[in-house]
């Protein structure tokens, strides 16, 4: 019986993973799409007519903090209604299978990997559930609804969401841990990212240069497809559980 291309790709990807002692995973907005979290570029990268790259920036925040807070308060409110999908759970299964030999770095700020049971998640771009003061060391984990312009309880200055905006550095220790994992892994699995935002997307190239095999799981081709040894094209919520099943 002629094996479908997809099933052949799944078998090849499973074969690469079965041989892998160390695995590194990079996820993007696509892994949360089936949970109902909108991706960035499927809507053409726009939010209420604003380019995300204009709203999610320090300049955007100093220009119009109320607009930026409206953007983030809407996304924080939407978090209350979303749940991890089978793709998140499949990655948590992989985490239990490889233990400390698997590192999961995400560009997402929705916390769904942690809710699905993944441990030691490297949040490259921060978290929607964390706020910090623009002026003093105050920071807090909170999923509560916040006012339109939340102020710091310690110094009365403005709070901001603790996420990495465009033009801002990623948290050093988190990025370093992700880079170390990319260097050390035998297989690098890229899930649900258009691979256009750096330095996060650079991790896949770094892994490949260090000799890792790259598996891409994405709806369609991306900027990283050219360096993938196996390409799984379809919804990650369907393909990742299939992949884990084939690991035996
Ligand atoms: C830095 C947090 C500088 C906020 C984010 C020109 C001007 C200015 C900057 C730059 C520039 N050129 C390059 C840069 C650098 C910039 C960058 O890379 N820009 C890109 C747009 C070109 N990078 C930065 O600014 C970074 N910082 O470089 O610092 C510096 C250097 C030295 C010293 C000081 C400073 C900071 C980048 C972090 C920005 N913050 N997020 C927030 O979320 O609100 S990035 C944002 O994009 C999200 O984190 C998101 O995750 C990320 C990437 O998007 P994706 O996750 O890939 O989502 P996308 O929609 O694009 O793709 C989804 C994919 O899933 C698609 O392929 C789709 O087909 C697929 N999919 C959909 N459904 C499914 C699916 N796949 C599987 N299953 C499904 N069901
Ligand atoms: Zn403060």
């Amino acid at each position: 019986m002629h094996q479908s291309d997809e099933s052949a790709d799944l078998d090849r990807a499973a074969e690469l993973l079965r041989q892998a002692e160390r695995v590194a995973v990079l996820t993007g907005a696509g892994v949360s799409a089936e949970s109902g979290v909108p991706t960035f570029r499927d809507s053409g990268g726009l939010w209420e007519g604003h380019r995300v790259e204009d709203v999610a920036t320090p300049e955007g925040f100093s220009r119009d903090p109320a607009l930026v807070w409206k953007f983030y308060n809407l996304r924080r409110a939407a978090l209350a209604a979303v749940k991890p999908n089978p793709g998140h759970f499949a990655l948590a299964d992989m985490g239990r299978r490889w233990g400390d030999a698997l590192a999961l770095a995400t560009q997402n700020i929705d916390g769904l990997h942690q809710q699905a049971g993944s441990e030691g998640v490297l949040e490259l771009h921060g978290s929607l559930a964390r706020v910090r003061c623009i002026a003093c060391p105050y920071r807090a984990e909170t999923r509560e609804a916040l006012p339109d312009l939340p102020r710091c309880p310690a110094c009365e200055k403005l709070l901001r969401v603790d996420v990495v905006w465009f033009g801002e550095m990623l948290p050093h220790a988190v990025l370093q841990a992700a880079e170390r994992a990319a260097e050390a892994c035998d297989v690098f699995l890229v899930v649900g990212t258009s691979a256009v935002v750096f330095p996060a997307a650079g991790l896949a190239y770094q892994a490949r240069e260090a000799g890792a095999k790259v598996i891409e799981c994405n709806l369609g081709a991306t900027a990283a497809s050219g360096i993938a040894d196996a390409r799984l094209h379809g919804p990650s919520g369907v393909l990742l559980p299939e992949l884990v099943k084939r690991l035996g």
Side-chain angles (χ1 to χ4, degrees):
M1 187 267 273
H2 172 66
Q3 219 187 14
S4 76
D5 290 353
E6 181 187 290
S7 149
D9 285 335
L10 272 163
D11 287 342
R12 169 137 177 70
E15 186 47 37
L16 292 174
L17 278 167
R18 270 197 294 273
Q19 292 160 11
E21 271 176 42
R22 305 187 67 80
V23 176
V25 185
L26 173 68
T27 64
V31 79
S32 297
E34 291 154 86
S35 297
V37 181
T39 64
F40 277 79
R41 289 164 190 87
D42 291 342
S43 62
L46 287 182
W47 168 74
E48 294 203 350
H50 298 279
R51 274 169 18 94
V52 170
E53 280 82 11
D54 294 337
V55 178
T57 61
E59 298 76 21
F61 186 68
S62 48
R63 191 171 51 238
D64 187 347
L67 176 77
V68 175
W69 262 110
K70 186 176 171 213
F71 176 56
Y72 284 102
N73 270 334
L74 278 173
R75 292 168 70 192
R76 283 169 50 88
L79 274 195
V82 299
K83 292 269 167 287
N85 67 62
H88 294 107
F89 289 114
L91 291 170
D93 288 349
M94 288 178 64
R96 283 185 287 276
R97 185 186 181 99
W98 272 276
D100 292 345
L102 180 137
L104 171 63
T106 185
Q107 300 169 87
N108 303 338
I109 60 176
D110 56 31
L112 289 177
H113 284 302
Q114 294 91 324
Q115 279 183 50
S118 287
E119 295 184 352
V121 177
L122 298 171
E123 291 184 313
L124 297 169
H125 295 161
S127 163
L128 262 182
R130 224 178 11 254
V131 294
R132 64 181 163 89
C133 177
I134 58 170
C136 81
Y138 174 84
R139 66 180 45 209
E141 291 278 336
T142 164
R143 288 174 176 270
E144 300 303 310
L146 292 171
D148 296 355
L149 274 179
R151 294 211 165 263
C152 172
C155 77
E156 289 296 307
K157 291 277 190 323
L158 272 179
L159 292 180
R160 59 171 280 177
V161 280
D162 192 15
V163 304
V164 180
W165 284 332
F166 287 96
E168 292 187 321
M169 293 291 279
L170 276 62
H172 180 69
V174 175
L175 180 57
Q176 200 175 45
E179 288 176 336
R180 284 214 185 103
E183 287 291 327
C185 71
D186 305 304
V187 165
F188 193 90
L189 172 62
V190 199
V191 186
T193 181
S194 56
V196 298
V197 172
F198 285 81
L203 293 166
Y205 300 87
Q206 200 176 345
R208 179 143 182 88
E209 267 144 48
K213 296 288 185 198
V214 176
I215 300 170
E216 178 182 53
C217 175
N218 203 72
L219 266 192
T222 72
S225 299
I227 62 165
D229 298 277
R231 281 181 283 280
L232 309 177
H233 281 174
S236 48
V238 172
L239 291 172
L240 291 179
E242 273 300 310
L243 180 61
V244 169
K245 229 189 281 174
R246 279 168 165 74
L247 293 179

